[in-house]
Amino acid sequence: MKQSGNKTTGQMNTLIRKADNIEDFMLENSASFVDMRFSDFLYKLLEERRLIPADLVEMTSIDRSYIYHIMSGKRIPSKETILEIAFALHLNLDDTQLLLRLAGRPLLYSRNRQDAAIIFCIHKKRTLIQTNDLLRSLGLSLIGKVQH
């Protein structure tokens, strides 16, 4: 999530490789660190889009009570559920990866066929339906409860 003063993960990785000392790096980049829970970040994403949890229920195939358990922090969703949320909110790759990381789930990995296809679709701003069509055509597992 890029805000004024915040750096992307790629920018942070480049800066940390070039850093001579970790203390200066952390001080100079303090605004770019993410220290929050999964549910807090999801609320922030919804707020930025002027949405409420009920909107997320309408935008996904995820059960209403499960959405509210996720939002309250009582449940941590699976990687598949997080990806369905990410596509519903039209997240970029950095925000999708951050949601996965905050939930303690494996990040998308470009050397994995399914993940590579998903990363491709995120970059190309494809919908979940378009992504599942591509995954199906490649013989890979689909995301969410498919309605076709």
Side-chain angles (χ1 to χ4, degrees):
M1 165 184 287
K2 190 168 181 184
Q3 297 174 344
S4 62
N6 284 358
K7 296 172 182 79
T8 66
T9 302
Q11 291 169 324
M12 292 288 282
N13 287 337
T14 299
L15 291 171
I16 201 165
R17 276 194 300 273
K18 294 178 179 179
D20 292 325
N21 118 7
I22 193 66
E23 291 84 6
D24 289 344
F25 168 81
M26 288 187 176
L27 184 61
E28 291 167 8
N29 297 287
S30 62
S32 296
F33 288 106
V34 178
D35 296 315
M36 65 176 59
R37 298 177 326 148
F38 174 87
S39 57
D40 295 334
F41 185 54
L42 187 52
Y43 265 114
K44 186 173 185 170
L45 291 169
L46 289 175
E47 184 179 290
E48 287 173 357
R49 289 158 176 77
R50 294 176 167 63
L51 299 172
I52 59 173
D55 296 322
L56 197 54
V57 171
E58 296 300 318
M59 298 164 65
T60 65
S61 66
I62 304 166
D63 181 72
R64 174 181 291 278
S65 63
Y66 190 62
I67 291 279
Y68 286 97
H69 280 111
I70 291 169
M71 299 305 299
S72 70
K74 292 179 183 175
R75 298 288 302 268
I76 301 295
S78 67
K79 181 177 181 178
E80 179 181 292
T81 300
I82 293 167
L83 291 173
E84 186 173 354
I85 291 168
F87 276 100
L89 297 177
H90 309 286
L91 299 185
N92 63 32
L93 185 59
D94 282 346
D95 286 345
T96 301
Q97 296 286 54
L98 182 53
L99 267 183
L100 290 165
R101 185 175 69 75
L102 291 173
R105 301 298 182 219
L107 301 182
L108 293 170
Y109 180 54
S110 60
R111 296 185 74 172
N112 172 287
R113 287 175 45 83
Q114 180 178 21
D115 287 356
I118 293 167
I119 291 168
F120 173 84
C121 289
I122 290 170
H123 283 306
K124 299 295 184 183
K125 301 182 184 323
R126 303 269 171 92
T127 66
L128 181 60
I129 292 171
Q130 292 169 324
T131 301
N132 277 333
D133 287 345
L134 176 63
L135 293 170
R136 183 182 295 109
S137 74
L138 296 171
L140 300 169
S141 297
L142 307 182
I143 300 169
K145 297 175 187 168
V146 179
Q147 313 242 332
H148 287 69

